[in-house]
Structure formats: C-alpha cells, structure tokens
Amino acid sequence: MNKFEEKTIKTEKIFEGKIISLQVDEVELPNGKTSKRELIKHPGAVAVIAITDDNKIVLVEQYRKPLEKTLVEIPAGKLEDGENPIIAAIRELEEETGYTTNDLHFVTSFYSSPGFADELLHIYITNELTKVDNPKPGDEDEFVEVLELTLDEAKQLVTEERIHDAKTNYAILYLHALEGRE
Amino acid sequence: MNKFEEKTIKTEKIFEGKIISLQVDEVELPNGKTSKRELIKHPGAVAVIAITDDNKIVLVEQYRKPLEKTLVEIPAGKLEDGENPIIAAIRELEEETGYTTNDLHFVTSFYSSPGFADELLHIYITNELTKVDNPKPGDEDEFVEVLELTLDEAKQLVTEERIHDAKTNYAILYLHALEGRE
C-alpha cells in the first residue's frame, strides 16, 4: 500500500537528541519532481486509560514545555529501545500514578502527527488497579500530580482545555462512547 | 495553571524549516535542578470530518514520508501564518477533496504530541457539502486520492491500520459515538 510513494534521494541528518531526532529528506515525487521533507524520528509511546474501583479515571497533571502550560493527561510515556508496548504501559502507569495492573487491554494505536513525525502511540485500558507499596520512581526531570476524576469531571476539563491532547481527548471520547452503549 | 512550571534558562535554535523548527531549551525544574527540553514548533493544523449527502465520510489517501507508508485520513492541512482555523479548514477541504461548505461546526481541538511539539489541531465537521467546479489546486508537492466510505468501511480501515492517525481515529470514534446516540 505505497501509493504515491516518495523515494529518498538524499538524507541530511540535522539533530540527534535524547528523545527526538530530525532529518531532512530530499524525495522524488510521483510526478518525477523533487521536494524536501522535514522528518522527526521518535521511539513511540504508550498511554493507559486507568479506571479505579469507584469508576474514576486516573489522570496526571504535568507541565508541558512546548506549550508553556500545564495539561491534565492520561498516564503515558515513551518506549525504551525495542520495548514491548504493554510492558512500557505497565511501567509508566506505576511510575506516574503508583498503580499497577495485570489486566491491560489494547484500545487503539495511532500516529500522533504523520505529516512530520513517526511517533506511534499505543493506548491500553484497565479497570483492575492495585496500589503499589513502593512504586518505582519516574524520570528525575518529570514532575506529575495524580488526579482521579469522574467522566463528567474529565469532560469539564476538556471544555476548559485543561485536558487538551490527542490521546486524552481520545480516551474521554472512548469512555463516553462506552457509557452510551452500556 | 502553570503548576510545575519550567523556566527557560537558555534557548538554542537548531533548525528552522518550511514546516517545523527545532530548539533545545535548558530549563529550571521545580526542584531547582536543570534539564534540557527538545521542542518542535509547528504552525498548527486543521482537519474536517466531511459527510456527503449519502452519509459517507470523505477521506484522502496520501503517502506519509515519516512513516514510509500511505495512510487514509480526514482532509487536513497546516495553518498559514495567523490564519483563522475555520478559513484554513474550508481551504484544505476544497484543495484536497473538491468540496466546499458554508456550514462548519467545531468538534474539538487538541495538541498532537505535547511532550515534544506545540502543534495544535482543530477539528471541524460538516454534512453540507457542495462540489466546486474548479477547485483550487493543493500544494504542488502533495498527491492525494479521495475516498468516500461508509462508517463501517472506515472502521474496517482502522482495523487494518490503513486509517492510523490521531485525528482520523478520533473522527471515526466521534461518528461511532454520534451514531450510538441517534
């Protein structure tokens, strides 16, 4: 399924960071002309829709430097090299929220922004949570606060744009759709 | 709402492209330590859930160089400098599909990937489409094919991961949720 494929003529590597790298590819277009594509490489990420025994959604509030503001999001994190997404999801859930689970279901996966980045995000769901006594610490430069909200409270945060990112908006819509069918 | 704010100590500009730019900020963390943040600046984007008179979703198939594969997506494009998102949405709809509308409703907006990029995506919906006789051409390096699918056909493409990006997965879930409530 590679309709309109753009063959790489030349790759210029611009930046190799801790999380992302950037390259500019010169490509041959389907009509034989050439163009340039600015491409971000990312290891991929996982996120968890975690529902407590009293039917609340576990969310984390954290500062997002690219936006210069604090967002409320479902727990998430990036994949380590070659890591199985479900293992990464359990790790990030524990590090960010202090919960663990042995019952995690796949919801969906999607590319966050396929026009310029290859980040693939995998979303899981669980309603079997247990508190970990001494949870693994997260990254030392990561500061989060855990919130547990009802679906209605979370919808209100969507309205206020305090929940305002692709994976979390998707998660809230997913729970809304589930509820409509129960 | 700037809990856990990270103050910028220094900004290093790495790359300024046609679509994205990249900088690395040295930041002061809430605990007084410092860290680095790799940040992509993006002008923002719009997307349209466009429904035809016979209740089909208008989608475009295009090659995505970052993924080295072809995806099926709702029509979308990036904002031009200072552009009103609703004007951009009408422009992209016409350029990519040959349809126009004078009835566009806001659905939601979200940051695509707030960990490393500031891209904000605005999604609109319309079921009032008219064909344009001589639609404006799109970007000269953009090649798309238009598909009109039922919701069930689109859901099948989600399963096959031919629909596999944040905005389009959100759109299909949104239509699914609407249908469950009608």
Side-chain angles (χ1 to χ4, degrees):
Chain A
M1 290 310 305
N2 282 333
K3 198 183 288 182
F4 306 130
E5 183 170 355
E6 300 175 351
K7 294 222 162 65
T8 306
I9 298 168
K10 200 175 70 177
T11 293
E12 184 188 359
K13 292 195 184 289
I14 309 279
F15 175 77
E16 179 96 32
K18 270 190 312 180
I19 294 170
I20 56 174
S21 64
L22 168 64
Q23 67 189 52
V24 178
D25 280 11
E26 189 181 339
V27 298
E28 184 184 330
L29 299 171
N31 64 1
K33 294 187 177 178
T34 62
S35 188
K36 293 201 170 180
R37 301 294 183 210
E38 300 160 7
L39 310 176
I40 299 295
K41 300 285 179 178
H42 183 285
V46 291
V48 182
I49 306 172
I51 308 296
T52 63
D53 289 348
D54 58 348
N55 208 28
K56 291 186 170 178
I57 311 159
V58 184
L59 296 156
V60 294
E61 190 166 13
Q62 65 186 309
Y63 190 72
R64 291 305 204 172
K65 188 63 185 170
L67 323 177
E68 301 284 9
K69 67 181 172 192
T70 308
L71 288 188
V72 175
E73 303 173 36
I74 54 172
K78 61 179 194 302
L79 288 175
E80 290 171 8
D81 231 12
E83 192 177 25
N84 181 327
I86 204 163
I87 303 291
I90 290 171
R91 174 174 47 75
E92 291 292 339
L93 179 66
E94 178 173 336
E95 287 179 4
E96 293 196 346
T97 72
Y99 282 112
T100 192
T101 183
N102 51 23
D103 183 70
L104 208 53
H105 298 268
F106 178 73
V107 172
T108 195
S109 68
F110 49 66
Y111 291 100
S112 304
S113 199
F116 68 91
D118 73 346
E119 182 192 18
L120 179 61
L121 177 81
H122 307 262
I123 302 181
Y124 296 90
I125 191 168
T126 179
N127 60 4
E128 297 285 339
L129 294 174
T130 49
K131 270 282 177 196
V132 177
D133 283 338
N134 293 297
K136 291 189 206 95
D139 297 337
E140 357 173 274
D141 64 353
E142 204 174 47
F143 297 80
V144 304
E145 182 168 308
V146 179
L147 303 175
E148 297 186 3
L149 302 181
T150 64
L151 181 55
D152 279 344
E153 289 166 341
K155 285 179 184 174
Q156 180 57 31
L157 293 198
V158 174
T159 304
E160 294 170 13
E161 298 186 346
R162 289 180 58 203
I163 288 178
H164 206 198
D165 82 294
K167 64 183 177 305
T168 311
N169 282 34
Y170 186 95
I172 303 305
L173 180 57
Y174 181 80
L175 293 170
H176 170 82
L178 268 187
E179 198 178 53
R181 280 175 160 66
E182 269 162 10
Chain B
M1 291 308 306
N2 282 332
K3 197 182 290 182
F4 308 129
E5 183 171 354
E6 301 174 352
K7 294 222 163 64
T8 306
I9 299 168
K10 200 177 69 178
T11 293
E12 184 188 359
K13 293 196 184 287
I14 308 277
F15 175 79
E16 180 96 32
K18 270 188 313 178
I19 295 169
I20 55 174
S21 63
L22 168 65
Q23 67 190 52
V24 178
D25 280 11
E26 189 180 338
V27 298
E28 184 185 330
L29 299 172
N31 64 3
K33 294 187 177 178
T34 62
S35 188
K36 293 202 169 180
R37 301 293 184 210
E38 300 160 7
L39 310 175
I40 298 295
K41 300 284 181 180
H42 183 284
V46 292
V48 182
I49 306 172
I51 309 294
T52 63
D53 290 347
D54 57 349
N55 208 29
K56 291 186 172 178
I57 311 158
V58 183
L59 297 156
V60 295
E61 190 166 12
Q62 65 186 309
Y63 190 73
R64 291 305 203 172
K65 187 64 185 170
L67 323 178
E68 301 284 8
K69 66 182 174 192
T70 309
L71 288 187
V72 174
E73 302 173 36
I74 55 173
K78 62 180 194 302
L79 288 174
E80 290 170 8
D81 231 12
E83 191 177 26
N84 181 327
I86 204 162
I87 303 292
I90 290 170
R91 176 174 46 74
E92 290 292 340
L93 179 67
E94 177 172 335
E95 287 180 4
E96 293 196 346
T97 73
Y99 281 111
T100 192
T101 182
N102 51 25
D103 183 69
L104 207 54
H105 299 269
F106 178 73
V107 172
T108 195
S109 68
F110 50 67
Y111 291 100
S112 303
S113 198
F116 69 92
D118 74 346
E119 182 192 17
L120 179 61
L121 178 82
H122 308 262
I123 301 180
Y124 296 90
I125 191 167
T126 178
N127 60 4
E128 296 284 339
L129 295 174
T130 50
K131 270 280 176 198
V132 177
D133 284 338
N134 293 295
K136 291 189 204 96
D139 297 336
E140 31 168 64
D141 63 354
E142 203 173 49
F143 296 81
V144 303
E145 183 169 308
V146 178
L147 303 175
E148 297 186 2
L149 302 182
T150 65
L151 181 54
D152 280 343
E153 287 167 341
K155 286 179 184 174
Q156 178 58 30
L157 293 198
V158 174
T159 305
E160 294 170 13
E161 299 186 345
R162 289 179 59 202
I163 288 179
H164 205 198
D165 81 293
K167 65 183 175 305
T168 312
N169 282 33
Y170 186 96
I172 302 306
L173 180 59
Y174 181 81
L175 294 170
H176 169 82
L178 269 188
E179 197 178 54
R181 280 173 160 69
E182 269 163 10

